Amino acid sequence: MPVDILVGTQWGDEGKGKLIDVLTRDVDMVVRFQGGNNAGHTVEIGENRYVLHLIPSGIFRKGVKCVIGNGVVADPVALQDEMLKVTECGFDVSELELSSRTHLIFEYHKRMDQVNERSAAVKIGTTGRGIGPAYTDKMRRVGLRAIDLLDTEKLAVRFREEAAYYNKILASCGAETVDIEAELTKVLAAAAYLAPHVANSTYTVNDAVDAGKNVLFEGAQGALLDIDHGTYPFVTSSNTVSGGACTGSGIPPQAVRHVWGVLKAYTTRVGEGPFPTELFDNDGEQLRQIGREFGATTGRPRRCGWFDAVAARYACMVDGIDKLAVTKLDCLDGFDKVAICTGYEINGKVTDRFPASLDELNAARPVYEWHEGWKQDISEARTWEDLPENAQKYLKRCAELVRSEIAIISVGPRRDQTFSVEK
Ligand code: GDP
Ligand code: IMO
Ligand code: MG
């Protein structure tokens, strides 16, 4: 039953793309199950750096079947562009599958995303990719799905109807409306390109599971951005936690073997919302520069802070993480001391539980435990024993606090800068 799920355990950008690429050495299929092209998953191979948004990060390994599951929202024009780019780089996308149940994002969703950001009482700092509006249409039961790309006559009718509906709203907000016919032309071109890839993927994935194939589910974003479990309303619009893999692909919960949690050795966040361990000083700037913490999708500088064990333990609990992959440990090499947040002080009381209340999260003052740094370049470490003692101590403490076990450590962006921790 070799079905594993890999998810981010913080606010995204933990290094999921790199880990998926590394793990797909031994995998037959990689499945995306939620989110859309708000994701930016970086994979470095040799001198080349690729950023994927919708295509699963298994695409760089020959023979690995890549599936975009029903829980994803896919912008057909953006997907076509991405497939063409990946092809230009010399990789084969011919076997990529798009679930016929996947909901579609169109230009009017992107415009609505921007309008919402401008006019909403709460600015989320979205990626502007139309994610929220597309999931809204799905829940309102008016969305178009990948299967609709196969009947272009009906597609044109429905697209015109929906675009006209949104144009009225856009106009009433004083926003630029969509050029319906110009957009439809792009959509129809994308439909023709994507049609051979549209399939009833629920069967593709379940057939692979039944045949005992190694299937890996690739999460996007992170647990703290989950629509139910994250820092609502400063979240994305999908279930980013491991449970989303079942609803977002159609596999049953019993099929799952391991849940991998990717954990950055410190914390980052892009966009608005509470972030108790955020640093506004030189340490924060050092993390941003050394960790190259600039968004892979929007280029925005990421907010940086110390490792938050309260938030990460909560995420690992909800995800059921039984294997941790700790990334970017090398980015802490230069610090004399490193901090771990073990609790929040909220209105005079200390708790190690992650609050549901935004007011409490905003009031939370981190309680830190300080550890001696290791002041040594660890990017060439390839075993646990290669790590300096202080780095080992730091990792052991993080794992203890989040109540899970470290299985992989990453000490640089490249494939080879990764090693397993032997038991
Ligand atoms: P994802 O969204 O979780 O796939 O992560 P991103 O690709 O958005 O951001 C992670 C960034 O860190 C990318 O630029 C990776 O190349 C890089 N990265 C991944 N693992 C490591 C690591 O262990 N050390 C360093 N220095 N960089 C890493
Ligand atoms: P990966 O998969 C980090 C954030 C946005 C914003 C919020 C809602 O690369 O880890 P949305 O466009 O989804 O409606 O924006 O979620 N966000 C991410 N932050 N990594 C991501 O993806 C993200 N995808 C969305 O910045 O705060
Ligand atoms: Mg990313």
Side-chain angles (χ1 to χ4, degrees), residues 101-141:
R101 291 185 171 85
T102 303
H103 277 254
L104 300 176
I105 303 181
F106 296 111
E107 182 61 29
Y108 48 79
H109 292 125
K110 288 194 266 177
R111 300 268 173 105
M112 281 306 298
D113 199 354
Q114 286 150 19
V115 166
N116 290 341
E117 285 284 278
R118 278 207 307 267
S119 53
V122 195
K123 184 181 177 324
I124 309 292
T126 72
T127 59
R129 299 296 188 269
I131 305 295
Y135 276 120
T136 303
D137 273 3
K138 173 176 173 174
M139 293 306 173
R140 284 173 57 228
R141 293 158 292 177

mmCIF file of all heavy atoms in Angstrom, residues 101-141:
data_model
loop_
_atom_site.group_PDB
_atom_site.id
_atom_site.type_symbol
_atom_site.label_atom_id
_atom_site.label_comp_id
_atom_site.label_asym_id
_atom_site.label_seq_id
_atom_site.Cartn_x
_atom_site.Cartn_y
_atom_site.Cartn_z
ATOM 1 N N ARG A 101 -12.935 16.334 -13.618
ATOM 2 C CA ARG A 101 -13.711 17.037 -12.579
ATOM 3 C C ARG A 101 -13.028 18.309 -12.052
ATOM 4 O O ARG A 101 -13.588 18.999 -11.208
ATOM 5 C CB ARG A 101 -13.942 16.096 -11.390
ATOM 6 C CG ARG A 101 -14.873 14.945 -11.699
ATOM 7 C CD ARG A 101 -15.130 14.129 -10.430
ATOM 8 N NE ARG A 101 -16.176 13.146 -10.641
ATOM 9 C CZ ARG A 101 -15.980 11.942 -11.161
ATOM 10 N NH1 ARG A 101 -14.766 11.561 -11.519
ATOM 11 N NH2 ARG A 101 -16.987 11.111 -11.323
ATOM 12 N N THR A 102 -11.827 18.577 -12.514
ATOM 13 C CA THR A 102 -11.096 19.761 -12.039
ATOM 14 C C THR A 102 -11.814 21.043 -12.469
ATOM 15 O O THR A 102 -12.155 21.196 -13.643
ATOM 16 C CB THR A 102 -9.665 19.763 -12.634
ATOM 17 O OG1 THR A 102 -9.033 18.549 -12.270
ATOM 18 C CG2 THR A 102 -8.845 20.936 -12.137
ATOM 19 N N HIS A 103 -12.030 21.941 -11.538
ATOM 20 C CA HIS A 103 -12.687 23.206 -11.884
ATOM 21 C C HIS A 103 -11.706 24.166 -12.547
ATOM 22 O O HIS A 103 -10.500 24.105 -12.292
ATOM 23 C CB HIS A 103 -13.327 23.828 -10.634
ATOM 24 C CG HIS A 103 -14.671 23.235 -10.358
ATOM 25 N ND1 HIS A 103 -15.843 23.910 -10.591
ATOM 26 C CD2 HIS A 103 -15.022 21.995 -9.923
ATOM 27 C CE1 HIS A 103 -16.861 23.118 -10.296
ATOM 28 N NE2 HIS A 103 -16.394 21.952 -9.880
ATOM 29 N N LEU A 104 -12.253 25.035 -13.392
ATOM 30 C CA LEU A 104 -11.404 25.898 -14.216
ATOM 31 C C LEU A 104 -11.418 27.349 -13.735
ATOM 32 O O LEU A 104 -12.424 27.841 -13.222
ATOM 33 C CB LEU A 104 -11.885 25.859 -15.673
ATOM 34 C CG LEU A 104 -11.876 24.475 -16.332
ATOM 35 C CD1 LEU A 104 -12.465 24.555 -17.738
ATOM 36 C CD2 LEU A 104 -10.446 23.912 -16.405
ATOM 37 N N ILE A 105 -10.273 27.983 -13.919
ATOM 38 C CA ILE A 105 -10.136 29.418 -13.614
ATOM 39 C C ILE A 105 -10.090 30.184 -14.928
ATOM 40 O O ILE A 105 -9.359 29.795 -15.850
ATOM 41 C CB ILE A 105 -8.828 29.704 -12.842
ATOM 42 C CG1 ILE A 105 -8.757 28.893 -11.543
ATOM 43 C CG2 ILE A 105 -8.673 31.192 -12.568
ATOM 44 C CD1 ILE A 105 -7.496 29.148 -10.726
ATOM 45 N N PHE A 106 -10.850 31.252 -14.991
ATOM 46 C CA PHE A 106 -10.825 32.097 -16.189
ATOM 47 C C PHE A 106 -10.444 33.526 -15.808
ATOM 48 O O PHE A 106 -10.362 33.869 -14.628
ATOM 49 C CB PHE A 106 -12.202 32.074 -16.877
ATOM 50 C CG PHE A 106 -12.564 30.704 -17.384
ATOM 51 C CD1 PHE A 106 -13.590 29.978 -16.786
ATOM 52 C CD2 PHE A 106 -11.876 30.125 -18.451
ATOM 53 C CE1 PHE A 106 -13.923 28.708 -17.244
ATOM 54 C CE2 PHE A 106 -12.210 28.858 -18.905
ATOM 55 C CZ PHE A 106 -13.236 28.147 -18.305
ATOM 56 N N GLU A 107 -10.251 34.335 -16.856
ATOM 57 C CA GLU A 107 -9.819 35.722 -16.660
ATOM 58 C C GLU A 107 -10.731 36.468 -15.680
ATOM 59 O O GLU A 107 -10.268 37.245 -14.848
ATOM 60 C CB GLU A 107 -9.772 36.429 -18.029
ATOM 61 C CG GLU A 107 -9.296 37.860 -18.002
ATOM 62 C CD GLU A 107 -7.873 38.039 -17.468
ATOM 63 O OE1 GLU A 107 -7.048 37.108 -17.608
ATOM 64 O OE2 GLU A 107 -7.595 39.110 -16.890
ATOM 65 N N TYR A 108 -12.056 36.210 -15.768
ATOM 66 C CA TYR A 108 -12.962 36.964 -14.881
ATOM 67 C C TYR A 108 -12.735 36.618 -13.409
ATOM 68 O O TYR A 108 -12.949 37.434 -12.531
ATOM 69 C CB TYR A 108 -14.437 36.803 -15.300
ATOM 70 C CG TYR A 108 -14.943 35.403 -15.570
ATOM 71 C CD1 TYR A 108 -15.281 34.551 -14.540
ATOM 72 C CD2 TYR A 108 -15.106 34.950 -16.883
ATOM 73 C CE1 TYR A 108 -15.771 33.271 -14.792
ATOM 74 C CE2 TYR A 108 -15.594 33.668 -17.143
ATOM 75 C CZ TYR A 108 -15.919 32.828 -16.094
ATOM 76 O OH TYR A 108 -16.393 31.564 -16.346
ATOM 77 N N HIS A 109 -12.277 35.401 -13.135
ATOM 78 C CA HIS A 109 -11.941 35.042 -11.741
ATOM 79 C C HIS A 109 -10.738 35.863 -11.263
ATOM 80 O O HIS A 109 -10.692 36.326 -10.126
ATOM 81 C CB HIS A 109 -11.604 33.552 -11.627
ATOM 82 C CG HIS A 109 -12.789 32.647 -11.864
ATOM 83 N ND1 HIS A 109 -12.779 31.649 -12.807
ATOM 84 C CD2 HIS A 109 -14.000 32.601 -11.264
ATOM 85 C CE1 HIS A 109 -13.944 31.019 -12.782
ATOM 86 N NE2 HIS A 109 -14.705 31.573 -11.858
ATOM 87 N N LYS A 110 -9.768 36.012 -12.144
ATOM 88 C CA LYS A 110 -8.561 36.774 -11.759
ATOM 89 C C LYS A 110 -8.917 38.237 -11.488
ATOM 90 O O LYS A 110 -8.456 38.834 -10.525
ATOM 91 C CB LYS A 110 -7.509 36.687 -12.878
ATOM 92 C CG LYS A 110 -6.881 35.307 -12.963
ATOM 93 C CD LYS A 110 -5.643 35.315 -13.812
ATOM 94 C CE LYS A 110 -5.964 34.947 -15.224
ATOM 95 N NZ LYS A 110 -4.834 34.984 -16.138
ATOM 96 N N ARG A 111 -9.765 38.785 -12.374
ATOM 97 C CA ARG A 111 -10.180 40.186 -12.164
ATOM 98 C C ARG A 111 -10.937 40.324 -10.841
ATOM 99 O O ARG A 111 -10.770 41.286 -10.110
ATOM 100 C CB ARG A 111 -11.096 40.662 -13.294
ATOM 101 C CG ARG A 111 -10.480 40.609 -14.653
ATOM 102 C CD ARG A 111 -9.805 41.920 -15.050
ATOM 103 N NE ARG A 111 -9.111 41.688 -16.298
ATOM 104 C CZ ARG A 111 -9.516 42.121 -17.475
ATOM 105 N NH1 ARG A 111 -10.579 42.875 -17.576
ATOM 106 N NH2 ARG A 111 -8.827 41.847 -18.574
ATOM 107 N N MET A 112 -11.822 39.345 -10.548
ATOM 108 C CA MET A 112 -12.591 39.400 -9.301
ATOM 109 C C MET A 112 -11.660 39.306 -8.089
ATOM 110 O O MET A 112 -11.881 39.952 -7.068
ATOM 111 C CB MET A 112 -13.612 38.250 -9.234
ATOM 112 C CG MET A 112 -14.867 38.460 -10.037
ATOM 113 S SD MET A 112 -15.731 40.007 -9.679
ATOM 114 C CE MET A 112 -16.141 39.789 -7.971
ATOM 115 N N ASP A 113 -10.635 38.488 -8.213
ATOM 116 C CA ASP A 113 -9.639 38.343 -7.147
ATOM 117 C C ASP A 113 -9.034 39.711 -6.833
ATOM 118 O O ASP A 113 -8.930 40.131 -5.668
ATOM 119 C CB ASP A 113 -8.549 37.358 -7.637
ATOM 120 C CG ASP A 113 -7.726 36.752 -6.507
ATOM 121 O OD1 ASP A 113 -7.903 37.169 -5.352
ATOM 122 O OD2 ASP A 113 -6.898 35.860 -6.787
ATOM 123 N N GLN A 114 -8.688 40.427 -7.896
ATOM 124 C CA GLN A 114 -8.079 41.762 -7.700
ATOM 125 C C GLN A 114 -9.080 42.744 -7.104
ATOM 126 O O GLN A 114 -8.747 43.520 -6.209
ATOM 127 C CB GLN A 114 -7.522 42.286 -9.032
ATOM 128 C CG GLN A 114 -6.243 41.562 -9.440
ATOM 129 C CD GLN A 114 -6.048 41.469 -10.946
ATOM 130 O OE1 GLN A 114 -6.667 42.221 -11.711
ATOM 131 N NE2 GLN A 114 -5.205 40.539 -11.385
ATOM 132 N N VAL A 115 -10.324 42.690 -7.602
ATOM 133 C CA VAL A 115 -11.361 43.587 -7.080
ATOM 134 C C VAL A 115 -11.590 43.308 -5.598
ATOM 135 O O VAL A 115 -11.668 44.230 -4.775
ATOM 136 C CB VAL A 115 -12.682 43.424 -7.879
ATOM 137 C CG1 VAL A 115 -13.847 44.075 -7.152
ATOM 138 C CG2 VAL A 115 -12.529 44.019 -9.266
ATOM 139 N N ASN A 116 -11.707 42.027 -5.243
ATOM 140 C CA ASN A 116 -11.920 41.662 -3.832
ATOM 141 C C ASN A 116 -10.807 42.218 -2.956
ATOM 142 O O ASN A 116 -11.038 42.711 -1.859
ATOM 143 C CB ASN A 116 -11.958 40.137 -3.656
ATOM 144 C CG ASN A 116 -13.213 39.543 -4.256
ATOM 145 O OD1 ASN A 116 -14.193 40.251 -4.474
ATOM 146 N ND2 ASN A 116 -13.185 38.245 -4.527
ATOM 147 N N GLU A 117 -9.583 42.129 -3.459
ATOM 148 C CA GLU A 117 -8.439 42.612 -2.677
ATOM 149 C C GLU A 117 -8.488 44.119 -2.477
ATOM 150 O O GLU A 117 -8.083 44.627 -1.452
ATOM 151 C CB GLU A 117 -7.133 42.236 -3.377
ATOM 152 C CG GLU A 117 -6.770 40.777 -3.247
ATOM 153 C CD GLU A 117 -6.226 40.440 -1.873
ATOM 154 O OE1 GLU A 117 -5.035 40.661 -1.629
ATOM 155 O OE2 GLU A 117 -7.019 39.931 -1.053
ATOM 156 N N ARG A 118 -8.993 44.798 -3.501
ATOM 157 C CA ARG A 118 -9.041 46.267 -3.408
ATOM 158 C C ARG A 118 -10.170 46.729 -2.507
ATOM 159 O O ARG A 118 -10.028 47.678 -1.764
ATOM 160 C CB ARG A 118 -9.239 46.874 -4.805
ATOM 161 C CG ARG A 118 -7.961 46.993 -5.599
ATOM 162 C CD ARG A 118 -8.062 48.132 -6.605
ATOM 163 N NE ARG A 118 -9.234 48.033 -7.459
ATOM 164 C CZ ARG A 118 -9.235 47.440 -8.641
ATOM 165 N NH1 ARG A 118 -8.139 46.883 -9.097
ATOM 166 N NH2 ARG A 118 -10.332 47.387 -9.376
ATOM 167 N N SER A 119 -11.312 46.028 -2.585
ATOM 168 C CA SER A 119 -12.499 46.557 -1.918
ATOM 169 C C SER A 119 -12.854 45.846 -0.613
ATOM 170 O O SER A 119 -13.610 46.367 0.179
ATOM 171 C CB SER A 119 -13.692 46.487 -2.867
ATOM 172 O OG SER A 119 -13.820 45.172 -3.350
ATOM 173 N N ALA A 120 -12.311 44.653 -0.397
ATOM 174 C CA ALA A 120 -12.723 43.899 0.789
ATOM 175 C C ALA A 120 -12.231 44.581 2.059
ATOM 176 O O ALA A 120 -11.189 45.249 2.060
ATOM 177 C CB ALA A 120 -12.166 42.482 0.719
ATOM 178 N N ALA A 121 -13.009 44.403 3.119
ATOM 179 C CA ALA A 121 -12.618 44.962 4.409
ATOM 180 C C ALA A 121 -11.302 44.336 4.867
ATOM 181 O O ALA A 121 -10.473 44.980 5.501
ATOM 182 C CB ALA A 121 -13.718 44.699 5.419
ATOM 183 N N VAL A 122 -11.114 43.077 4.518
ATOM 184 C CA VAL A 122 -9.882 42.394 4.894
ATOM 185 C C VAL A 122 -9.074 42.118 3.629
ATOM 186 O O VAL A 122 -9.530 41.409 2.732
ATOM 187 C CB VAL A 122 -10.194 41.014 5.538
ATOM 188 C CG1 VAL A 122 -8.988 40.465 6.251
ATOM 189 C CG2 VAL A 122 -11.401 41.079 6.428
ATOM 190 N N LYS A 123 -7.878 42.662 3.585
ATOM 191 C CA LYS A 123 -7.000 42.386 2.448
ATOM 192 C C LYS A 123 -6.185 41.136 2.784
ATOM 193 O O LYS A 123 -5.513 41.102 3.807
ATOM 194 C CB LYS A 123 -6.090 43.594 2.205
ATOM 195 C CG LYS A 123 -5.196 43.475 1.001
ATOM 196 C CD LYS A 123 -4.338 44.729 0.883
ATOM 197 C CE LYS A 123 -3.341 44.738 -0.247
ATOM 198 N NZ LYS A 123 -2.688 43.539 -0.619
ATOM 199 N N ILE A 124 -6.282 40.141 1.922
ATOM 200 C CA ILE A 124 -5.620 38.862 2.210
ATOM 201 C C ILE A 124 -4.182 38.851 1.693
ATOM 202 O O ILE A 124 -3.320 38.169 2.224
ATOM 203 C CB ILE A 124 -6.398 37.687 1.539
ATOM 204 C CG1 ILE A 124 -7.899 37.724 1.891
ATOM 205 C CG2 ILE A 124 -5.788 36.334 1.866
ATOM 206 C CD1 ILE A 124 -8.237 37.434 3.321
ATOM 207 N N GLY A 125 -3.949 39.627 0.623
ATOM 208 C CA GLY A 125 -2.635 39.540 -0.031
ATOM 209 C C GLY A 125 -2.558 38.281 -0.867
ATOM 210 O O GLY A 125 -1.582 37.537 -0.812
ATOM 211 N N THR A 126 -3.597 38.031 -1.673
ATOM 212 C CA THR A 126 -3.620 36.802 -2.488
ATOM 213 C C THR A 126 -2.578 36.877 -3.599
ATOM 214 O O THR A 126 -1.988 37.940 -3.844
ATOM 215 C CB THR A 126 -5.001 36.581 -3.155
ATOM 216 O OG1 THR A 126 -5.158 37.550 -4.200
ATOM 217 C CG2 THR A 126 -6.146 36.686 -2.154
ATOM 218 N N THR A 127 -2.436 35.774 -4.308
ATOM 219 C CA THR A 127 -1.502 35.734 -5.434
ATOM 220 C C THR A 127 -2.134 36.347 -6.687
ATOM 221 O O THR A 127 -1.466 36.455 -7.713
ATOM 222 C CB THR A 127 -1.086 34.281 -5.739
ATOM 223 O OG1 THR A 127 -2.277 33.537 -6.031
ATOM 224 C CG2 THR A 127 -0.362 33.641 -4.572
ATOM 225 N N GLY A 128 -3.420 36.672 -6.617
ATOM 226 C CA GLY A 128 -4.104 37.287 -7.761
ATOM 227 C C GLY A 128 -4.371 36.327 -8.904
ATOM 228 O O GLY A 128 -4.622 36.749 -10.036
ATOM 229 N N ARG A 129 -4.332 35.030 -8.613
ATOM 230 C CA ARG A 129 -4.500 34.041 -9.687
ATOM 231 C C ARG A 129 -5.953 33.582 -9.862
ATOM 232 O O ARG A 129 -6.234 32.658 -10.613
ATOM 233 C CB ARG A 129 -3.610 32.809 -9.432
ATOM 234 C CG ARG A 129 -2.122 33.101 -9.379
ATOM 235 C CD ARG A 129 -1.622 33.615 -10.738
ATOM 236 N NE ARG A 129 -0.162 33.733 -10.781
ATOM 237 C CZ ARG A 129 0.518 34.827 -10.459
ATOM 238 N NH1 ARG A 129 -0.113 35.918 -10.045
ATOM 239 N NH2 ARG A 129 1.839 34.842 -10.547
ATOM 240 N N GLY A 130 -6.870 34.184 -9.104
ATOM 241 C CA GLY A 130 -8.294 33.834 -9.265
ATOM 242 C C GLY A 130 -8.715 32.604 -8.480
ATOM 243 O O GLY A 130 -9.790 32.035 -8.721
ATOM 244 N N ILE A 131 -7.886 32.198 -7.525
ATOM 245 C CA ILE A 131 -8.128 30.949 -6.788
ATOM 246 C C ILE A 131 -9.441 31.017 -5.989
ATOM 247 O O ILE A 131 -10.307 30.143 -6.132
ATOM 248 C CB ILE A 131 -6.941 30.658 -5.824
ATOM 249 C CG1 ILE A 131 -5.614 30.640 -6.592
ATOM 250 C CG2 ILE A 131 -7.182 29.393 -5.012
ATOM 251 C CD1 ILE A 131 -5.434 29.566 -7.599
ATOM 252 N N GLY A 132 -9.582 32.055 -5.159
ATOM 253 C CA GLY A 132 -10.772 32.175 -4.307
ATOM 254 C C GLY A 132 -12.057 32.244 -5.144
ATOM 255 O O GLY A 132 -12.999 31.478 -4.910
ATOM 256 N N PRO A 133 -12.125 33.139 -6.132
ATOM 257 C CA PRO A 133 -13.338 33.207 -6.956
ATOM 258 C C PRO A 133 -13.657 31.888 -7.681
ATOM 259 O O PRO A 133 -14.820 31.533 -7.839
ATOM 260 C CB PRO A 133 -13.017 34.334 -7.940
ATOM 261 C CG PRO A 133 -12.078 35.230 -7.172
ATOM 262 C CD PRO A 133 -11.228 34.286 -6.367
ATOM 263 N N ALA A 134 -12.652 31.151 -8.117
ATOM 264 C CA ALA A 134 -12.932 29.879 -8.811
ATOM 265 C C ALA A 134 -13.501 28.848 -7.829
ATOM 266 O O ALA A 134 -14.460 28.133 -8.151
ATOM 267 C CB ALA A 134 -11.667 29.338 -9.474
ATOM 268 N N TYR A 135 -12.923 28.764 -6.619
ATOM 269 C CA TYR A 135 -13.492 27.842 -5.622
ATOM 270 C C TYR A 135 -14.890 28.315 -5.197
ATOM 271 O O TYR A 135 -15.741 27.495 -4.862
ATOM 272 C CB TYR A 135 -12.576 27.725 -4.393
ATOM 273 C CG TYR A 135 -11.451 26.725 -4.553
ATOM 274 C CD1 TYR A 135 -10.117 27.129 -4.466
ATOM 275 C CD2 TYR A 135 -11.705 25.373 -4.761
ATOM 276 C CE1 TYR A 135 -9.074 26.221 -4.591
ATOM 277 C CE2 TYR A 135 -10.668 24.450 -4.896
ATOM 278 C CZ TYR A 135 -9.358 24.879 -4.809
ATOM 279 O OH TYR A 135 -8.339 23.973 -4.937
ATOM 280 N N THR A 136 -15.126 29.622 -5.204
ATOM 281 C CA THR A 136 -16.460 30.128 -4.884
ATOM 282 C C THR A 136 -17.467 29.605 -5.906
ATOM 283 O O THR A 136 -18.543 29.109 -5.553
ATOM 284 C CB THR A 136 -16.458 31.676 -4.887
ATOM 285 O OG1 THR A 136 -15.477 32.127 -3.962
ATOM 286 C CG2 THR A 136 -17.813 32.247 -4.498
ATOM 287 N N ASP A 137 -17.113 29.678 -7.186
ATOM 288 C CA ASP A 137 -18.004 29.170 -8.247
ATOM 289 C C ASP A 137 -18.250 27.671 -8.089
ATOM 290 O O ASP A 137 -19.359 27.191 -8.337
ATOM 291 C CB ASP A 137 -17.391 29.435 -9.626
ATOM 292 C CG ASP A 137 -17.763 30.822 -10.144
ATOM 293 O OD1 ASP A 137 -18.436 31.570 -9.407
ATOM 294 O OD2 ASP A 137 -17.376 31.150 -11.279
ATOM 295 N N LYS A 138 -17.208 26.956 -7.681
ATOM 296 C CA LYS A 138 -17.370 25.501 -7.475
ATOM 297 C C LYS A 138 -18.428 25.266 -6.396
ATOM 298 O O LYS A 138 -19.342 24.459 -6.566
ATOM 299 C CB LYS A 138 -16.017 24.905 -7.064
ATOM 300 C CG LYS A 138 -16.063 23.450 -6.646
ATOM 301 C CD LYS A 138 -14.650 22.938 -6.353
ATOM 302 C CE LYS A 138 -14.672 21.537 -5.768
ATOM 303 N NZ LYS A 138 -13.328 20.962 -5.608
ATOM 304 N N MET A 139 -18.314 25.990 -5.287
ATOM 305 C CA MET A 139 -19.254 25.797 -4.182
ATOM 306 C C MET A 139 -20.657 26.325 -4.522
ATOM 307 O O MET A 139 -21.645 25.787 -4.036
ATOM 308 C CB MET A 139 -18.733 26.500 -2.909
ATOM 309 C CG MET A 139 -17.483 25.865 -2.350
ATOM 310 S SD MET A 139 -17.712 24.084 -2.054
ATOM 311 C CE MET A 139 -16.066 23.592 -1.624
ATOM 312 N N ARG A 140 -20.719 27.352 -5.369
ATOM 313 C CA ARG A 140 -22.037 27.858 -5.812
ATOM 314 C C ARG A 140 -22.660 26.944 -6.857
ATOM 315 O O ARG A 140 -23.774 27.176 -7.306
ATOM 316 C CB ARG A 140 -21.869 29.260 -6.428
ATOM 317 C CG ARG A 140 -21.671 30.386 -5.417
ATOM 318 C CD ARG A 140 -21.352 31.694 -6.139
ATOM 319 N NE ARG A 140 -22.377 32.072 -7.087
ATOM 320 C CZ ARG A 140 -22.159 32.455 -8.357
ATOM 321 N NH1 ARG A 140 -20.930 32.511 -8.835
ATOM 322 N NH2 ARG A 140 -23.148 32.781 -9.139
ATOM 323 N N ARG A 141 -21.892 25.964 -7.281
ATOM 324 C CA ARG A 141 -22.324 24.968 -8.272
ATOM 325 C C ARG A 141 -22.614 25.577 -9.644
ATOM 326 O O ARG A 141 -23.548 25.169 -10.333
ATOM 327 C CB ARG A 141 -23.520 24.166 -7.728
ATOM 328 C CG ARG A 141 -23.097 23.297 -6.550
ATOM 329 C CD ARG A 141 -24.223 22.902 -5.671
ATOM 330 N NE ARG A 141 -24.754 24.068 -4.973
ATOM 331 C CZ ARG A 141 -25.798 24.027 -4.156
ATOM 332 N NH1 ARG A 141 -26.421 22.895 -3.955
ATOM 333 N NH2 ARG A 141 -26.209 25.109 -3.535
#
